[in-house]
Structure formats: C-alpha cells, structure tokens
Amino acid sequence: MSTTIATENAITWFYACNVQDVPANGGVCVKYGEEQIALFRFARRNEWYASQNECPHRRQMALSRGMTGTQEGEPKIACPFHKKTFSLKDGRCISDPAECAITTYPVRIENDRVYIGVDGASEC
C-alpha cells in the first residue's frame, strides 16, 4: 500500500516499498492510484529508476518484468515481449527513435524505504 509522504516542487513522493522488496538488478510493479509504475534496482551501480509499466509498442503492462542493463553507460529496460529498449534516465526509445518515449519518475531511498516521485497533480 502506498502512502504519500511529502509534496515539494510540484512532486509528490509516495512510499512504494522497502529496498529488500525489489530484486537486485531487477524490477517490480508498484500501483499508485490507477497507475502502474515499474521500479528498478541496479544493485551493481547502487542506482534506482522508475518508469511507466506499460510498453508503448503494444500497450502491455510488462516493463517491470523486462531485462535491465546498460548501453554505453545508459541504464535501460528491454520489454520482455518485443525487446524494444528504453532509457531509464529520460524514457526515450533507444532501439527505435521513432517509437514513443516512456514516462520516467524520480526515486529516492530513505531508511531502506523506496519513494517514487509523481506529478503533484496526480490523484491517488
């Protein structure tokens, strides 16, 4: 269950899960209201990323189950069905520049708890 903790600079931060709930170098799906957000833990780099869970190619909720990796230092996620790859920094489609970008969200860790930042106008 997500709990909003703070709103700052038009970003609402909500509690998504505990650090240990996300597999090292993998992802999980987190619900925020009606939204599905894919949350990724790059344990090797000690970095966290979040994006929409829906792959824009065929509109399937699957990105959280995709393969994480890097391309020229850029963290990316590959859709498990179509192998389209997206930057987890800015959401652009790396494998097909004509493909729609995905939405990305900021992530922060506090006391082994993971928080995701969403647009302050989002309703839970």
Side-chain angles (χ1 to χ4, degrees):
M1 181 168 177
S2 59
T3 304
T4 301
I5 62 154
T7 300
E8 58 187 52
N9 300 326
I11 294 178
T12 299
W13 292 92
F14 73 93
Y15 166 71
C17 61
N18 293 322
V19 166
Q20 65 269 19
D21 296 331
V22 183
N25 305 308
V28 296
C29 180
V30 176
K31 288 267 301 188
Y32 179 73
E34 296 299 314
E35 292 182 62
Q36 288 189 29
I37 298 175
L39 175 64
F40 304 100
R41 177 182 179 192
F42 280 63
R44 294 179 298 265
R45 298 166 56 134
N46 195 29
E47 295 175 347
W48 291 78
Y49 298 95
S51 74
Q52 69 186 53
N53 194 34
E54 182 182 63
C55 177
H57 181 237
R58 292 268 172 92
R59 313 211 36 96
Q60 292 175 304
M61 296 294 186
L63 292 181
S64 63
R65 296 177 302 194
M67 291 184 0
T68 59
T70 59
Q71 183 171 333
E72 297 178 10
E74 182 87 7
K76 67 178 183 174
I77 183 66
C79 175
F81 296 116
H82 316 109
K83 306 303 182 240
K84 299 250 185 207
T85 57
F86 299 91
S87 165
L88 289 171
K89 285 189 174 181
D90 62 17
R92 69 185 156 71
C93 186
I94 296 169
S95 59
D96 182 0
E99 185 69 58
C100 293
I102 60 173
T103 301
T104 59
Y105 304 91
V107 178
R108 69 182 183 198
I109 310 300
E110 294 178 2
N111 300 318
D112 289 330
R113 293 169 60 110
V114 182
Y115 297 90
I116 299 174
V118 293
D119 180 342
S122 296
E123 293 184 17
C124 197

